[in-house]
Amino acid sequence: MAELLKGKPVGDLLDETTKIKVTMLKAKGITPTLAILRVGERQDDLSYERGATKRCEKNGVAVVNKILPDTCSQEELMTAIKELNEDDNVHGILMFRPLPKTLDEKAACNAILPSKDVDGITQGSMAYIYSGQGDGYAPCTSQAVMEILKFYGIDPKGKKATVVGRSLVIGKPVSMLLMNANATVTICHSRTENMEEVTQNADIVVAALGKAEMLGREYFKEGQTVIDVGINYSEEKQKLVGDVKLDEAEGVVSGITPVPGGVGSVTTAVLVSHVVEAAQKSAL
Amino acid sequence: MAELLKGKPVGDLLDETTKIKVTMLKAKGITPTLAILRVGERQDDLSYERGATKRCEKNGVAVVNKILPDTCSQEELMTAIKELNEDDNVHGILMFRPLPKTLDEKAACNAILPSKDVDGITQGSMAYIYSGQGDGYAPCTSQAVMEILKFYGIDPKGKKATVVGRSLVIGKPVSMLLMNANATVTICHSRTENMEEVTQNADIVVAALGKAEMLGREYFKEGQTVIDVGINYSEEKQKLVGDVKLDEAEGVVSGITPVPGGVGSVTTAVLVSHVVEAAQKSAL
């Protein structure tokens, strides 16, 4: 049976590093601060906000909440972003998406300073992830994948990594991060033919399709590491499931992240580490 | 023997489309104009400038030359870029690199408006290539690869494409363009193990290492299309050669671009097409 690559110890270790940095920053009079910008009252947003706030508190990182009604105007939203950009006491900005359809989401994203863009949603962060130049951060989930590999001693260097999915939130950035870590990366998507062959050919498979239990036994082979980024609600099973059929894959591969309890539980720890990194940079 | 995928007819056909667009723009009183910004008198730059100028002239595209001495200050360079950005009669800007080491090249690149960045060197263009959002252009050479595939009827959709090289000038952008065209893309580099196996596994191989005749017969198999982006001077052969051993590969694969006379001869045609596209957008 595959080793279950649980996220909790990965997040806990990230928190240990974060706490040390926070102590050092506070000794300099700096309290790392995350601004959470929420428009409306979506359940998903509220749930993530609770998790992120709890993780910040645990690590001594302050949270500033900026809440706008879902009837707010573009101008009100842009003003809120501008104020957070200009506030030297705010080091990171997390803006929940999707925004209400009455608002211009792209304009709002790109108004955030890349140096405060701790979840990697601005054009500046995208250029940074792609080129390695400029300011910005990788989306937290994509970096959570890398933290899990690192924690469990799986060095991507020289290995073949197949990423299933090419979204801007996870597929593309995690491909770039794996390539930066010297993996030979293949990116699969809906138009890929014989995908089983492509995933079987890899040492590391990152599943990021966002489709419940799409990848069964036939996609995997012995010795592989599988990182399942999907978090989907299965009506049939009445519970959260990943993009991978865990019960089938774990009989074949060497290691796999569970859902829930895998990548998702590392994401907020990465978010908080980004806020602290931004605070460190602002102190330079 | 492999079909030689020559660049000339590809560039010629691009020029035909360009000429029609130029005629339409001139009827509206707009002369598409490329500004060439050169610092110093490097032979490579002068040679490319001659080729680009000739291609512009052939297509009715105007060229403005802005030449600075290699002793110029950063301020003088930035002022020149600002003037070209603000000049509504200039639609595209081509700045030669590398700049003299006394100058901050990154700052200069990023000062160019992405909407005029016809060779894709700004952070804005990089974010555009990566995300498909915002303004910008792909580096001309990377798009030249796509134009060759299109001309010779090779649709990347559903095919496996292996790109050898991960530079910002060619490897990364051509990987993104191939992925946008629905290929399943694998990116190889210096840390890739068993590269022969990875290239042999592809339907399309793009060689962009910048190392003379690195890829011999063992990297290829029957039926493949090979696009050789390398342009290297071989001391031994006293002539230009690609990254692929042409004489070895052409006995195996189905189609291959020659060097010289392949990708290189499409690049300036793409450049001119970008200038015309920028002029069209400015007229909207």
Side-chain angles (χ1 to χ4, degrees):
Chain A
M1 286 289 280
E3 180 185 8
L4 274 186
L5 310 174
K6 292 184 181 172
K8 189 172 182 308
V10 185
D12 287 348
L13 184 61
L14 276 171
D15 282 350
E16 290 313 309
T17 311
T18 294
K19 279 176 201 159
I20 293 167
K21 291 183 180 178
V22 170
T23 304
M24 290 169 66
L25 282 162
K26 287 189 172 170
K28 291 185 190 173
I30 296 165
T31 300
T33 302
L34 171 67
I36 298 182
L37 174 55
R38 169 162 54 80
V39 179
E41 308 280 335
R42 289 177 64 237
Q43 284 306 316
D44 285 3
D45 297 350
L46 292 166
S47 162
Y48 193 82
E49 185 174 319
R50 277 192 298 274
T53 303
K54 201 171 142 192
R55 197 118 205 175
C56 282
E57 282 168 359
K58 185 183 159 199
N59 286 286
V61 168
V63 175
V64 171
N65 293 288
K66 180 75 194 176
I67 299 156
L68 295 171
D70 58 11
T71 53
C72 79
S73 69
Q74 185 73 21
E75 200 187 338
E76 286 169 300
L77 176 59
M78 299 303 270
T79 302
I81 293 169
K82 188 162 178 280
E83 284 170 7
L84 296 173
N85 278 343
E86 289 173 357
D87 186 343
D88 288 341
N89 295 317
V90 165
H91 304 102
I93 301 172
L94 176 67
M95 180 177 76
F96 289 117
R97 295 178 301 164
L99 293 171
K101 286 186 179 168
T102 47
L103 297 169
D104 182 344
E105 183 169 301
K106 276 187 199 171
C109 288
N110 289 321
I112 296 171
L113 276 179
S115 58
K116 295 190 178 189
D117 177 27
V118 287
D119 198 22
I121 66 172
T122 63
Q123 290 282 91
S125 280
M126 290 178 196
Y128 165 74
I129 295 155
Y130 174 78
S131 71
Q133 299 168 1
D135 285 327
Y137 291 88
C140 295
T141 306
S142 64
Q143 193 169 334
V145 171
M146 304 305 291
E147 298 295 344
I148 290 171
L149 292 173
K150 190 172 157 194
F151 181 90
Y152 288 101
I154 301 149
D155 184 354
K157 181 176 161 182
K159 293 205 173 66
K160 290 188 223 170
T162 292
V163 176
V164 185
R166 55 178 162 176
S167 72
L168 277 175
V169 175
I170 173 72
K172 281 183 183 178
V174 83
S175 299
M176 290 292 143
L177 295 176
L178 285 163
M179 185 163 65
N180 291 347
N182 291 315
T184 299
V185 179
T186 300
I187 309 164
C188 294
H189 44 75
S190 55
R191 304 301 176 89
T192 294
E193 295 182 3
N194 303 317
M195 200 190 286
E196 311 90 89
E197 185 198 303
V198 184
T199 52
Q200 282 214 18
N201 191 34
D203 303 303
I204 298 166
V205 178
V206 178
L209 307 80
K211 292 193 179 173
E213 299 192 313
M214 272 289 287
L215 305 182
R217 184 187 303 263
E218 69 276 19
Y219 287 83
F220 302 105
K221 69 168 186 193
E222 280 178 36
Q224 291 183 311
T225 299
V226 179
I227 311 290
D228 189 352
V229 181
I231 299 181
N232 317 283
Y233 184 74
S234 165
E235 289 290 345
E236 188 193 331
K237 297 191 175 174
Q238 299 267 308
K239 63 171 190 176
L240 290 178
V241 297
D243 292 346
V244 176
K245 285 181 183 135
L246 179 60
D247 52 348
E248 292 191 11
E250 72 179 340
V252 183
V253 304
S254 161
I256 182 167
T257 57
V259 177
V263 177
S265 49
V266 183
T267 303
T268 53
V270 170
L271 174 70
V272 180
S273 78
H274 282 176
V275 177
V276 172
E277 194 181 324
Q280 284 184 309
K281 284 182 183 165
S282 78
L284 290 179
Chain B
M1 286 291 278
E3 179 184 9
L4 274 187
L5 309 174
K6 291 184 181 172
K8 187 170 184 305
V10 185
D12 287 347
L13 183 61
L14 277 171
D15 282 350
E16 290 312 307
T17 309
T18 294
K19 278 177 201 161
I20 292 167
K21 291 183 179 177
V22 169
T23 304
M24 290 169 67
L25 283 162
K26 286 191 173 170
K28 291 185 191 172
I30 298 165
T31 300
T33 301
L34 172 68
I36 298 181
L37 174 55
R38 171 162 53 81
V39 179
E41 310 279 334
R42 290 177 65 235
Q43 282 308 315
D44 285 1
D45 296 350
L46 292 167
S47 161
Y48 193 81
E49 186 173 319
R50 277 192 298 274
T53 302
K54 201 170 141 193
R55 196 117 205 174
C56 282
E57 281 168 1
K58 185 183 158 199
N59 286 286
V61 169
V63 175
V64 171
N65 292 288
K66 179 77 194 174
I67 300 156
L68 295 170
D70 59 9
T71 54
C72 79
S73 69
Q74 185 74 21
E75 201 187 336
E76 287 169 301
L77 175 59
M78 298 302 268
T79 302
I81 292 169
K82 188 162 177 282
E83 284 170 5
L84 296 174
N85 279 342
E86 290 173 356
D87 186 343
D88 289 340
N89 295 318
V90 166
H91 305 102
I93 301 171
L94 175 69
M95 181 177 77
F96 289 118
R97 297 178 302 164
L99 293 170
K101 286 187 178 168
T102 47
L103 297 168
D104 182 343
E105 183 170 300
K106 276 185 197 171
C109 288
N110 289 320
I112 296 172
L113 276 181
S115 57
K116 295 190 179 189
D117 177 26
V118 287
D119 198 22
I121 65 173
T122 64
Q123 291 281 92
S125 281
M126 289 179 196
Y128 166 74
I129 296 155
Y130 174 75
S131 71
Q133 299 169 1
D135 286 327
Y137 291 87
C140 295
T141 306
S142 64
Q143 193 169 333
V145 172
M146 303 306 290
E147 298 294 344
I148 290 171
L149 292 173
K150 190 172 155 192
F151 181 90
Y152 287 101
I154 301 149
D155 183 355
K157 180 176 163 185
K159 292 205 173 68
K160 291 190 223 168
T162 291
V163 175
V164 185
R166 54 177 162 177
S167 73
L168 277 176
V169 176
I170 173 73
K172 283 184 182 179
V174 83
S175 299
M176 290 293 144
L177 295 177
L178 285 163
M179 185 162 65
N180 291 347
N182 292 314
T184 299
V185 179
T186 300
I187 309 163
C188 293
H189 43 75
S190 55
R191 301 303 174 88
T192 294
E193 294 182 4
N194 304 317
M195 200 190 287
E196 311 88 88
E197 185 197 303
V198 185
T199 52
Q200 282 215 18
N201 191 35
D203 304 302
I204 298 167
V205 178
V206 178
L209 309 80
K211 291 192 180 172
E213 299 191 313
M214 272 289 286
L215 306 182
R217 185 187 302 265
E218 69 277 20
Y219 288 83
F220 302 105
K221 69 166 185 195
E222 280 177 37
Q224 291 183 311
T225 299
V226 180
I227 311 289
D228 188 353
V229 181
I231 299 181
N232 317 283
Y233 184 75
S234 165
E235 289 290 346
E236 187 192 333
K237 297 192 176 175
Q238 300 268 308
K239 63 171 187 174
L240 291 178
V241 297
D243 291 347
V244 176
K245 286 180 183 135
L246 180 60
D247 51 348
E248 292 190 11
E250 70 179 343
V252 183
V253 304
S254 160
I256 184 167
T257 57
V259 178
V263 177
S265 49
V266 183
T267 302
T268 53
V270 169
L271 175 70
V272 180
S273 78
H274 282 175
V275 177
V276 172
E277 194 181 324
Q280 284 185 307
K281 284 181 182 165
S282 78
L284 290 178

